Amino acid sequence: MKIKKFFSSQKFIVFVWVLGIAVIWEIFAFIVAATKRTPVNVLPHLWQIIEAFFSDKKVSGKMTMAELIGTACQETLLRAAIGFAIGTVLGYLLALLMNLSRIVEKIAFPYLMLIQMIPILGMAPIILSITGDINTSRIVIAAILTFYPVSANTLAGFKAVEQEKCELMYSYASSRFQLYTKTLIPSCIPYFFTGLKISAPMAITASILVDTLQGGNGLGCMLSQSLKGGMTRLVFWDIVLISAIIGILSYQVMGLIEKLICPYKRTKKAD
Amino acid sequence: MDERTEIMLDNIGMTYKTNDGRDVTALTSVTLDIRKGEFISLLGPSGCGKTTLLRIIADLLTPTQGNISVGGETPRQARLKQRYGIVFQSAVLYDWRTVRKNVMLPLEIMHVPKEERIDRADKMLELVGLSDFANHFPGQLSGGMQQRVGIARALAIRPEILLMDEPFSALDEFTREKLHDDLLRIWRKTNKTVVFVTHNISEAVYLSDRVCVLSPHPGRLSAVVDIDLPRPRTAQLKSTPEFTALVAKVRSSFEGV
Ligand SMILES: Nc1ncnc2c1ncn2[C@@H]1O[C@H](COP(=O)(O)OP(=O)(O)O)[C@@H](O)[C@H]1O
Ligand SMILES: [Mg+2]
């Protein structure tokens, strides 16, 4: 029974997935190593990527791989975080407004959908010409990508509140403000976090992608320099790996914050 | 109008407009006086307009016909004075609040000071027998316990009128019978006027002073049966010939079901 439980547990499933991906990666890496002339450019072994990250060899100027990626991460993540925060606040406020007023909802919702459909790299030049500054553009784009999932999910959360809850509030002769603070806003927290969990990795991805458009010290800048041959190709691979890890972590962090805010979710039914 | 009348329904009718523009007549010409402190049931098959009538009393719906007064006022005035306690079929608890905080919610809306809020919530929880579960979350309680919390919450604002819409119909037979006796005990203790919606004949007879029989198509009041069984009532009553006779009488007063 205990063994069965372990094999169906979340941890085990994650373990199997990671192992599976690693095995497939390595199979292809061996094939590539045997057939291509510069295997590192196509698909290096996982251990080469990890080894490169911890090695003391300077990859750019005086910096080792870890130092290089560390500073690049700081820049990119800071921009992603600022954009994410702005997008979250604005997205939440718009959801609130849309729920308060049907007219706002009818006008704003189609635009929300539209923004969602424009590819980031198509949006970037437009934003750049408006803001005139690449770093501001990177923040703005992270914000735009965060905005839609947060707004749409929060609005769905407001709509999903049981009608009876609102009727109870009505029967207590509550004010509209109380209806929101006591019932609607707390009810939609899980939906809000669904939005955050979707948009956190998106904000980071967007930030890295827009980095590649122009120079600077961000992750994406290093990534494209490495691809262009300005640095060893392993910089590229290390950044890919690290970005994936950061993306997953950002999702996990949102889940963790949600659990801290909603302790009732952790309580189990007492039979 | 009688001195003791609490809710006066005069020729009440309700016609809904559906989204596709059709009219649905849910209730026609319901005339009924509900006395202060009375336990009255609205009994009928589903679709006969019980919920509609209850919602009209609660000021959640405005009737398309007729007049209604609650203690000489409109339902809206009565609602604004917080004279209604409402219990729905599902407990409608706030799963992020503890049991105690659920009961305190209406008191927060009314700006009752914190000390008093806690005090009153705890008294209500004692009344429904849930003192030991004050710090539990609703998700940790059984269906019957959740419904008790709902009742405690409805009573916390000290309403004069308790409106209950099939509050026990989702519960199993044993839990329901237990809650019947608890509800009667609470009712005697607190002297509320209770309007109790149900589709269970025996439940209506066991609990009520009077049973209003509603018939469908269109929803209308087809009979009001006085239940002159002695109080306090206990489960043994259900096997007496008087009880059985009243159940039969109520059953025979349905039209066109
Ligand atoms: N919002 C509504 N719009 C249209 N028809 C409705 C609405 N609410 C109830 N009805 C109709 O009114 C009738 C009575 O409904 P209801 O009062 O819920 O009955 P009960 O509670 O006795 O089951 C039903 O035929 C139902 O379909
Ligand atoms: Mg109903």
Side-chain angles (χ1 to χ4, degrees), chain B residues 181-196:
Chain B
D181 292 331
D182 285 330
L183 179 60
L184 286 181
R185 176 177 52 79
I186 291 164
W187 171 64
R188 266 206 322 200
K189 230 175 167 166
T190 56
N191 282 318
K192 312 278 179 217
T193 305
V194 181
V195 183
F196 188 95

Side-chain angles (χ1 to χ4, degrees), chain A residues 127-142:
Chain A
I127 305 283
L128 181 57
S129 68
I130 295 173
T131 61
D133 173 43
I134 187 68
N135 282 339
T136 317
S137 306
R138 286 163 180 160
I139 291 173
V140 169
I141 285 169

Side-chain angles (χ1 to χ4, degrees), chain B residues 92-137:
Chain B
V92 199
L93 299 178
Y94 288 58
D95 52 7
W96 62 90
R97 286 173 165 254
T98 61
V99 164
R100 179 188 283 120
K101 287 210 162 147
N102 263 283
V103 178
M104 280 162 61
L105 173 71
L107 304 176
E108 286 169 24
I109 305 294
M110 291 166 66
H111 301 294
V112 173
K114 182 150 193 207
E115 297 289 300
E116 194 189 335
R117 273 199 319 251
I118 296 172
D119 197 49
R120 269 164 75 172
D122 284 349
K123 281 215 179 77
M124 289 306 131
L125 287 175
E126 200 186 322
L127 193 65
V128 298
L130 285 180
S131 293
D132 294 342
F133 295 89
N135 294 318
H136 283 58
F137 284 96

Side-chain angles (χ1 to χ4, degrees), chain B residues 16-18 24 26 44-53 165-166 197:
Chain B
Y16 289 106
K17 275 244 182 296
T18 57
V24 178
S46 71
C48 69
K50 307 181 294 291
T51 298
T52 301
L53 190 55
D165 192 355
E166 307 198 14
V197 167

Side-chain angles (χ1 to χ4, degrees), chain A residues 42-116:
Chain A
V42 184
L43 193 72
H45 289 290
L46 280 173
W47 68 76
Q48 289 177 300
I49 298 174
I50 295 165
E51 191 187 16
F53 185 79
F54 293 106
S55 117
D56 307 329
K57 249 191 12 223
K58 312 278 184 264
V59 287
S60 162
K62 285 195 203 112
M63 284 197 280
T64 64
M65 182 77 86
E67 285 164 356
L68 178 82
I69 292 181
T71 36
C73 260
Q74 270 176 28
E75 274 218 19
T76 300
L77 286 186
L78 181 68
R79 285 195 289 261
I82 296 172
F84 179 69
I86 295 172
T88 299
V89 171
L90 292 182
Y92 193 88
L93 287 179
L94 183 72
L96 209 58
L97 275 176
M98 286 195 291
N99 197 55
L100 278 165
S101 151
R102 278 212 76 96
I103 301 169
V104 173
E105 185 187 345
K106 277 207 171 126
I107 295 172
F109 209 81
Y111 285 105
L112 264 182
M113 303 277 288
L114 210 68
I115 290 174
Q116 174 69 3

Side-chain angles (χ1 to χ4, degrees), chain A:
Chain A
M1 193 60 225
K2 234 181 189 163
I3 291 172
K4 211 172 171 185
K5 217 170 183 174
F6 171 75
F7 280 118
S8 61
S9 75
Q10 191 79 30
K11 271 183 199 148
F12 182 72
I13 292 168
V14 170
F15 175 73
V16 169
W17 263 98
V18 171
L19 195 71
I21 291 171
V23 166
I24 292 169
W25 181 301
E26 280 305 317
I27 289 172
F28 281 100
F30 273 110
I31 294 172
V32 166
T35 54
K36 303 283 180 193
R37 260 195 314 151
T38 49
V40 164
N41 287 5
V42 184
L43 193 72
H45 289 290
L46 280 173
W47 68 76
Q48 289 177 300
I49 298 174
I50 295 165
E51 191 187 16
F53 185 79
F54 293 106
S55 117
D56 307 329
K57 249 191 12 223
K58 312 278 184 264
V59 287
S60 162
K62 285 195 203 112
M63 284 197 280
T64 64
M65 182 77 86
E67 285 164 356
L68 178 82
I69 292 181
T71 36
C73 260
Q74 270 176 28
E75 274 218 19
T76 300
L77 286 186
L78 181 68
R79 285 195 289 261
I82 296 172
F84 179 69
I86 295 172
T88 299
V89 171
L90 292 182
Y92 193 88
L93 287 179
L94 183 72
L96 209 58
L97 275 176
M98 286 195 291
N99 197 55
L100 278 165
S101 151
R102 278 212 76 96
I103 301 169
V104 173
E105 185 187 345
K106 277 207 171 126
I107 295 172
F109 209 81
Y111 285 105
L112 264 182
M113 303 277 288
L114 210 68
I115 290 174
Q116 174 69 3
M117 282 185 277
I118 303 173
I120 318 166
L121 289 178
M123 202 157 25
I126 305 172
I127 305 283
L128 181 57
S129 68
I130 295 173
T131 61
D133 173 43
I134 187 68
N135 282 339
T136 317
S137 306
R138 286 163 180 160
I139 291 173
V140 169
I141 285 169
I144 289 174
L145 282 188
T146 304
F147 186 79
Y148 177 79
V150 169
S151 210
N153 279 287
T154 306
L155 183 65
F158 284 136
K159 305 255 181 228
V161 177
E162 293 160 89
Q163 194 198 340
E164 279 103 335
K165 276 194 179 132
C166 300
E167 289 178 349
L168 277 178
M169 295 298 283
Y170 183 75
S171 81
Y172 305 146
S174 82
S175 66
R176 196 176 245 227
F177 180 75
Q178 286 171 321
L179 175 67
Y180 272 85
T181 54
K182 302 283 183 192
T183 298
L184 293 180
I185 290 174
S187 292
C188 80
I189 286 177
Y191 289 80
F192 173 61
F193 272 96
T194 303
L196 292 186
K197 281 184 209 161
I198 296 169
S199 56
M202 276 171 69
I204 292 168
T205 311
S207 206
I208 294 170
L209 252 170
V210 182
D211 270 349
T212 62
L213 286 187
Q214 271 189 26
N217 296 318
L219 275 178
C221 312
M222 298 301 138
L223 192 124
S224 52
Q225 277 187 44
S226 160
L227 279 180
K228 285 175 199 150
M231 293 177 225
T232 155
R233 188 59 68 92
L234 280 168
V235 171
F236 167 83
W237 288 110
D238 267 326
I239 290 176
V240 168
L241 191 68
I242 297 279
S243 317
I245 293 171
I246 293 171
I248 294 167
L249 276 183
S250 71
Y251 176 93
Q252 300 288 347
V253 166
M254 292 304 130
L256 203 72
I257 296 173
E258 183 184 9
K259 271 192 181 149
L260 288 176
I261 291 178
C262 316
Y264 65 93
K265 272 205 147 180
R266 284 181 296 189
T267 56
K268 283 225 182 77
K269 199 159 191 131
D271 292 308

